[in-house]
Amino acid sequence: MEIKKIYQDKKLLIGTKIKVQGWVRFNRSSKSIGFIELTDGTRLDGIQLVYKLENEEVFSKLSSISLFSVLEAEGQLIQNKNDIEILITNIIDIKKTEEDFPIGKKEHGLEFLREQSHLRVKTKMFQAIMKIRSTAAISIHEFFKKEGFFYVHTPIITGNDAEGAGESFLVSVKDGKFFDKQGTLTVSGQLHAEGFAQSLKKVYAFGPTFRAENSHTTRHASEFWMLEPEAVFCDYNEMMEIGWMMIKYIINKILEIHIDDLELLQKVNKDENLISYLQKISSSDIQKISYKKAIDILNKASKSGVEFKEKDIHFGIDLATEHEKFLAETHFDGPVYVYDYPAEIKSFYMYDNGDGTVRGFDLLIPKIGELIGGSQREDRYDVLMKVINSKGQNLSELNWYLNLRKNGYAKSSGFGLGFERLVMLLTGVENIRDVLPFPRTPGKLNF
Ligand code: 4AD
Ligand code: MG
């Protein structure tokens, strides 16, 4: 019987014989009695098993069982003073761990655990992270279903660089030729999602995304999941609101379902404010400022003594991490959208305001930085054509994308959200490598 179920039905089950299956998370014995915590993943805490010398065979087997061994056993469910426990009467099977099993004997650093990605999910911390990751993904689907969006599957192998940044992995075969041109792994499903939105009105893509950026930061991975809603007859202000509503929806779900996991994460991350921080975000409105205003704020701060490494702050610069940090963490003390960026520093597909800015927006989050990047799309064929040329994009690859503009293209807006960065926000985990089941980052391809 699953341990969660035993707890749910304990009133009915007291005194009965129960079979349990799981892994040994804790084991301690004296001369005549021993205690095991058995976990099976269905509940953050496991269940206590008791074994006594009276039953010699059981006692000798269980007192020597190593941590994280598989144990299947039977016994009687008993109510003790504070909790329930099972007095083991019969062992069905044991599958032991090796002598040098690396997890569980002492507290491990996160870096050590990364080298053990196939085993680290056995720890309570990683169980909590992966369960929250699961609920966050499901909540995304729930939110968009509620809002009338359709889930579309955009291709993983593509023939164009959707971001125009040249950061794609090549897809090839041994003898060189497979497709009629060079294939790449997708860096974004946006271009294809735009096509779907021109028929289904409101869609979202959510899937694996690949970037060959050589960024060794705590926020960049080579393989990650991106959520990309796209909606027509929708301007960028409305899209920013949808993004914020969605984040609040997901946070509320996590607070509702995972309070015990969050409490555990507060302890292991040594950050007692995680829950109150999430509560605060989930009940606040989003702040928005234009890029121009952001530059003014940064300049004022710089003049009044804030030390930035990059001191030359003027219209046209790409905001550095320290600038984004200052805005979200110090000035606004919370999430903030920055919009209307200079055309030069943004991708080719953003709607041109005609004053040197485009209708792009980023959502900046304290500690995490950019969580969302989105825009209203350039819907004018001639304008888009000009930008594609001036940015030196490969026109022939983007012909089909341009062609959409000639065939009944409604005003369209969308964004991309880095799913792992969202999980970092939800769990308080500070390194993207610790919210990915098997992280892929430059220089590393273990597992
Ligand atoms: O800002 P980005 O590059 O935007 C796009 O790709 C658009 N085509 C999305 C759209 O409008 N449909 O990426 C979107 C988000 C970023 O804000 C960031 O959260 C995440 O994707 N992201 C990464 N996450 C982890 N590792 C990386 N290397 C990432 N690169 C981007
Ligand atoms: Mg971006």
Side-chain angles (χ1 to χ4, degrees), residues 228-255:
E228 297 184 271
E230 187 74 31
V232 292
F233 304 108
C234 174
D235 66 24
Y236 67 145
N237 275 307
E238 291 166 300
M239 192 41 77
M240 283 188 249
E241 287 304 321
I242 291 171
W244 187 241
M245 260 165 44
M246 179 200 68
I247 288 171
K248 296 211 290 191
Y249 179 87
I250 298 168
I251 289 177
N252 279 321
K253 280 284 161 181
I254 299 300
L255 286 167

Side-chain angles (χ1 to χ4, degrees), residues 163 188 190 211 213 221 228 349 370-371 373 377 415-416 418:
E163 281 300 295
S188 160
Q190 176 196 327
R211 297 229 174 146
E213 302 166 81
E228 297 184 271
Y349 49 71
E370 181 192 327
L371 174 64
R377 315 310 185 188
F415 65 77

Side-chain angles (χ1 to χ4, degrees), residues 320-385:
T321 306
E322 55 173 348
H323 301 142
E324 295 185 343
K325 257 178 131 59
F326 178 81
L327 290 170
E329 286 170 25
T330 311
H331 190 86
F332 288 99
D333 186 26
V336 57
Y337 273 120
V338 180
Y339 60 89
D340 284 348
Y341 279 85
E344 273 151 59
I345 59 169
K346 287 292 184 190
S347 297
F348 63 91
Y349 49 71
M350 298 188 182
Y351 187 96
D352 190 343
N353 279 319
D355 61 356
T357 68
V358 288
R359 293 186 185 169
F361 57 86
D362 283 356
L363 178 63
L364 309 181
I365 302 268
K367 287 196 216 158
I368 288 163
E370 181 192 327
L371 174 64
I372 280 179
S375 66
Q376 188 169 320
R377 315 310 185 188
E378 183 54 77
D379 50 18
R380 297 160 297 185
Y381 181 91
D382 296 336
V383 180
L384 182 59
M385 175 76 131

